[in-house]
Amino acid sequence: MPTPEVPPLQSPWTLAVLVAIVLLESAVLVGFAIFYAVELLAGNAETSPGGAAFTLVLLAAFGAWLASAGVFLWRGRRWPRSAALVAQLFALVIGVPTLTGGVVVLGLAIVVPAVAALFLLFDKRVLALTQGSGRRPGGAGRADGPEADTPDAGGTGAGRG
């Protein structure tokens, strides 16, 4: 049965909201990394300088990783869906105990976007765009398209024994 395709140049609103959530989460992580850097340089780190530096690097790296996932999600790539899924699960691991621990506003600020992103990750329009059926023009030859799932994408059989 044929499935309805997403118009090639038009991204679904669900993808736009998903990308916005992912990029906002990335910005928050980078913001915390900057906060850790300022506190570390001012000598006001709540933990040891080594622990604060490690946390700073971890937050910056995870923020950059999540930002790249958001950008490549917008481009219709497949791999960022799993990266975004892992990020949302991490957010829930942090947000639910925060929420049940009595810090309701912060807990909701973590849990609500994570749950929304989880639902949007599995929206049929987002799936169609990121699995190649709603491919944007100019995306030919990408390594993560449907042709990458076949053992011999070039059709030549070269290099096989």
Side-chain angles (χ1 to χ4, degrees):
M1 176 186 325
T3 58
E5 289 191 20
V6 176
L9 289 177
Q10 182 180 2
S11 295
W13 68 268
T14 51
L15 180 65
V17 173
L18 174 61
V19 168
I21 290 170
V22 169
L23 291 177
L24 180 63
E25 291 170 335
S26 171
V28 168
L29 289 171
V30 171
F32 275 118
I34 292 169
F35 171 76
Y36 265 85
V38 169
E39 291 297 306
L40 186 62
L41 292 174
N44 299 332
E46 293 288 326
T47 62
S48 68
F54 174 77
T55 304
L56 181 151
V57 170
L58 189 65
L59 287 169
F62 193 49
W65 173 68
L66 202 52
S68 70
V71 168
F72 284 102
L73 261 173
W74 183 250
R75 292 180 182 177
R77 298 294 177 103
R78 181 183 308 194
W79 69 264
R81 284 195 354 257
S82 58
L85 175 67
V86 168
Q88 304 321 309
L89 295 177
F90 281 146
L92 288 176
V93 165
I94 294 168
V96 169
T98 302
L99 185 63
T100 59
V103 189
V104 176
V105 174
L106 183 59
L108 286 173
I110 297 170
V111 169
V112 170
V115 170
L118 285 172
F119 278 110
L120 293 172
L121 277 168
F122 295 101
D123 177 75
K124 64 182 176 182
R125 294 163 290 200
V126 171
L127 288 172
L129 184 69
T130 58
Q131 289 180 344
S133 61
R135 181 171 300 245
R136 295 177 190 195
R142 290 194 331 219
D144 64 349
E147 64 277 1
D149 293 337
T150 60
D152 185 16
T156 62
R160 301 217 168 183

